[in-house]
Amino acid sequence: SFVVDGSNLVKRYGDIMGTPSCKMVLTILKKVLDEGGQFTCLFDANIFHVLKNCDMESQALLQMTKDYPEYFSVVTGRSRADYPILHTADEFNARIISNDTYTKPEDGYVEQYEFLRDPYTPRLIQVNFQRSGLISIEKLAWRLKSGDNVSNQFEALRKCLDKIPKEARANALKNGS
């Protein structure tokens, strides 16, 4: 199972492409489900501000948090998702998909979470993204192409999530692979 740092990937997409977008996140989440995995995707409190120039994406993401709270959540105002990401991954022995290393000394995460002490930990999975839209996730041997139409991506992910029985959703990470 995976805990996905949604804000990190949205911002990384923006760093490369010029405008933050959910495209890379949605591509990765769909792949997780296609591979039979489970996920929870957490966002920093400011995600809707980050997506301020992408009104459709903001609205779609907000709807996903309402319709699929087991899979999508935004942390409490004025806070970052780092601690909830690490706590959730630790609680469920899940892997984290993020380009953050969570190793800033002032945060103290390395002392709290033993798996962060190993710079090669298989539990922290980084994403390489190229301007061409190619996504490489070496630790999972995934090579993906970011979708072009974010509306279609949200809809495709919705269809996948709707196939999962509600009782299985309640324990998404517990049941994950």
Side-chain angles (χ1 to χ4, degrees):
S1 54
F2 299 94
V3 180
V4 180
D5 186 344
S7 289
N8 178 273
L9 299 179
V10 165
K11 291 173 190 171
R12 182 67 184 141
Y13 185 94
D15 291 344
I16 302 294
M17 301 303 273
T19 304
S21 176
C22 294
K23 289 178 182 178
M24 181 167 48
V25 176
L26 296 171
T27 300
I28 292 168
L29 297 179
K30 176 85 168 52
K31 178 67 172 175
V32 168
L33 292 176
D34 288 348
E35 294 288 320
Q38 289 288 343
F39 71 86
T40 188
C41 187
L42 296 155
F43 292 89
D44 295 338
N46 71 345
I47 189 61
F48 299 111
H49 177 73
V50 170
L51 291 170
K52 67 180 179 245
N53 295 325
C54 311
D55 191 51
M56 187 286 301
E57 288 189 49
S58 289
Q59 293 304 316
L61 179 57
L62 180 61
Q63 196 60 48
M64 294 298 265
T65 65
K66 291 177 182 177
D67 295 345
Y68 307 100
E70 320 75 354
Y71 295 98
F72 294 91
S73 60
V74 178
V75 299
T76 306
R78 296 188 177 169
S79 63
R80 297 179 313 170
D82 294 5
Y83 182 73
I85 287 166
L86 292 165
H87 179 77
T88 303
D90 192 51
E91 179 75 19
F92 295 102
N93 198 30
R95 295 173 283 177
I96 299 170
I97 298 178
S98 176
N99 283 337
D100 195 335
T101 59
Y102 307 101
T103 55
K104 291 180 195 161
E106 63 270 20
D107 291 335
Y109 297 139
V110 174
E111 289 77 31
Q112 284 183 281
Y113 300 101
E114 190 174 324
F115 68 91
L116 292 177
R117 295 178 198 147
D118 175 2
Y120 303 104
T121 179
R123 293 191 54 203
L124 188 56
I125 299 167
Q126 296 196 315
V127 177
N128 290 299
F129 180 67
Q130 300 171 24
R131 195 161 191 62
S132 64
L134 293 178
I135 302 167
S136 302
I137 305 177
E138 186 177 343
K139 287 183 182 176
L140 300 174
W142 289 356
R143 289 174 179 78
L144 310 169
K145 175 81 169 140
S146 183
D148 291 326
N149 185 317
V150 76
S151 295
N152 290 346
Q153 285 184 280
F154 272 112
E155 189 56 35
L157 191 58
R158 218 173 235 297
K159 286 180 181 176
C160 287
L161 292 171
D162 286 341
K163 290 178 185 175
I164 300 170
K166 288 203 181 222
E167 58 276 1
R169 286 189 209 169
N171 295 309
L173 286 182
K174 289 180 190 173
N175 299 333
S177 55

